[in-house]
Amino acid sequence: MEALVARLSRLDADAEGALRVVTFFDTLMRRRVDLPALARAAAGLAECTAGIRLHATGRSIRMSAAGTEASDPVPPASSEATVTLDDEDIGTVWFERCGPARSLDELALERLAIAVAAVVERYGPAQTTMADPALVELVITAGTDDAARNRALRLLGFAPGSPVRVAAVRSATPLDRLGAQVCPARPVKAAQLGDVGVLLAGEIADEAFPAGVHAGVGVAEHAARSWREARTALRFATVRRPVVRYDALGAVALLAQVPADAARDNPDVAAVDRLASTPSDLDTLDAYCTTGSLRRAADVLHLHHSSVARRLDQLGKALGFSLTEPDGLLRASVALTTWRLLGDS
């Protein structure tokens, strides 16, 4: 700071004003204001509309000199500056001044750009659970290079080098509320990509998912690999097992790699497909395969165990093997799981 003051003291009569500009933005940075507050403060200082745009989000923040959001059409910038972070161009700041630029505009924009970069590095562009889907997609796509992935993570508010795990969800609960429930300790970001919701967090509490949500949770620390695991785990989620961690699948995860044609041609899978036309038969088979026990299946189905035994005997005849034998239970479980994967492929 002393060196800067000494340099400014050698300048012309604007030196005092320049020092005030520097002090003004340094104070804002110490107060850790967000991007809209920075734009509002800069507009008040410059007495004209000020704007901030981050390339990763494509969203512009424009504040008028009166401190309100500028809704008028965006005119050409009277002056602008590049926002850089780690030697990368991440955005632009500008003034929309009628008439020629003022002598201190260049310095004010330079300090605004530095302040914006500091906010992005510390917080990301927003402190909400919902995130820009484009940023989230950059993070979880396998083909994204490391530099772009790290930049996107930083913009989302994740510290460089910190582990990020991913959950793939299908839920009627809004993603922002869901994220707050399963990731009570921030940071957590959520976005909807097609028919699947995505949660990004350092840790994800499996047991905190509310009823009615199907979720697959990746366990890898690398976001792209964790997303791949999460999508696979989601395919195994059922009403009786709504939340599935990828590492809990073990070798069963290999079923997701079975070609669809080969799965359909398997006699056991074809037999389950025929059973599916009778929901009560499919429900009985699912309860038995999930619990691995006739009596526990009876409890789940709220039936007497003798009734369940009769149903299993009939199902065994339809499938072509005994369900009460250890091999029969294994065959039925594999066939039922593979049949479900066909429906989700």
Side-chain angles (χ1 to χ4, degrees):
M1 186 66 177
E2 290 81 359
L4 179 60
V5 172
R7 180 167 63 90
L8 290 173
S9 68
R10 293 193 295 268
L11 298 179
D12 57 17
D14 283 335
E16 185 178 348
L19 183 56
R20 284 200 298 268
V21 170
V22 172
T23 303
F24 178 81
F25 283 103
D26 283 352
T27 301
L28 291 174
M29 291 169 68
R30 283 198 300 272
R31 291 177 179 173
R32 299 191 173 190
V33 299
D34 58 11
L35 295 181
L38 272 178
R40 186 178 296 109
L45 177 69
E47 299 180 328
C48 69
T49 297
I52 299 172
R53 180 186 297 110
L54 297 177
H55 300 324
T57 64
R59 187 172 67 94
S60 295
I61 301 171
R62 296 173 64 237
M63 294 291 178
S64 69
T68 58
E69 290 190 20
S71 56
D72 52 311
V74 183
S78 57
S79 51
E80 62 182 21
T82 299
V83 181
T84 60
L85 184 61
D86 296 337
D87 297 323
E88 294 177 3
D89 176 356
I90 66 167
T92 305
V93 294
W94 68 91
F95 289 150
E96 299 168 16
R97 187 183 299 287
C98 296
R102 294 182 181 176
S103 59
L104 292 176
D105 280 1
E106 183 179 353
L107 176 61
L109 283 173
E110 176 189 331
R111 302 307 294 182
L112 175 59
I114 292 172
V116 169
V119 171
V120 170
E121 184 172 33
R122 185 181 298 119
Y123 300 116
Q127 285 300 292
T128 60
T129 298
M130 296 307 294
D132 184 343
L135 277 180
V136 172
E137 198 161 12
L138 267 178
V139 169
I140 63 177
T141 299
T144 303
D145 63 80
D146 288 341
R149 192 189 320 280
N150 291 335
R151 182 168 62 250
L153 283 168
R154 184 169 53 241
L155 290 169
L156 289 169
F158 293 96
S162 62
V164 177
R165 290 178 174 82
V166 186
V169 300
R170 289 195 175 97
S171 168
T173 303
L175 283 178
D176 56 345
R177 286 169 43 197
L178 183 63
Q181 282 183 265
V182 302
C183 314
R186 296 281 178 113
V188 53
K189 293 293 179 181
Q192 189 73 31
L193 297 181
D195 64 341
V196 179
V198 183
L199 296 180
L200 299 177
E203 292 293 340
I204 296 174
D206 307 357
E207 67 279 0
F209 281 98
V213 175
H214 282 191
V217 181
V219 296
E221 293 187 357
H222 189 277
R225 182 177 175 187
S226 186
W227 170 238
R228 185 169 64 249
E229 293 176 349
R231 284 186 303 165
T232 298
L234 178 62
R235 295 182 63 192
F236 289 85
T238 67
V239 172
R240 291 193 171 96
R241 192 186 180 189
V243 180
V244 180
R245 283 180 60 91
Y246 181 80
D247 56 352
L249 289 172
V252 176
L254 295 172
L255 292 177
Q257 301 179 30
V258 175
D261 289 342
R264 291 190 187 94
D265 289 343
N266 182 270
D268 290 355
V269 176
V272 171
D273 187 55
R274 291 191 295 271
L275 286 178
S277 60
T278 307
S280 60
D281 287 347
L282 193 65
D283 192 41
T284 299
L285 184 63
D286 175 66
Y288 180 60
C289 290
T290 301
T291 62
S293 161
L294 187 153
R295 290 187 178 275
R296 287 201 294 272
D299 291 340
V300 168
L301 294 167
H302 305 292
L303 295 172
H304 192 274
H305 64 86
S306 61
S307 298
V308 176
R310 284 194 296 272
R311 286 191 180 188
L312 292 178
D313 183 60
Q314 293 170 354
L315 289 173
K317 291 176 182 177
L319 291 170
F321 54 85
S322 174
L323 290 171
T324 55
E325 296 294 327
D327 287 351
L329 175 59
L330 176 61
R331 285 179 63 178
S333 297
V334 172
L336 179 60
T337 300
T338 305
W339 175 79
R340 282 207 179 98
L341 292 174
L342 279 174
D344 192 56
S345 59

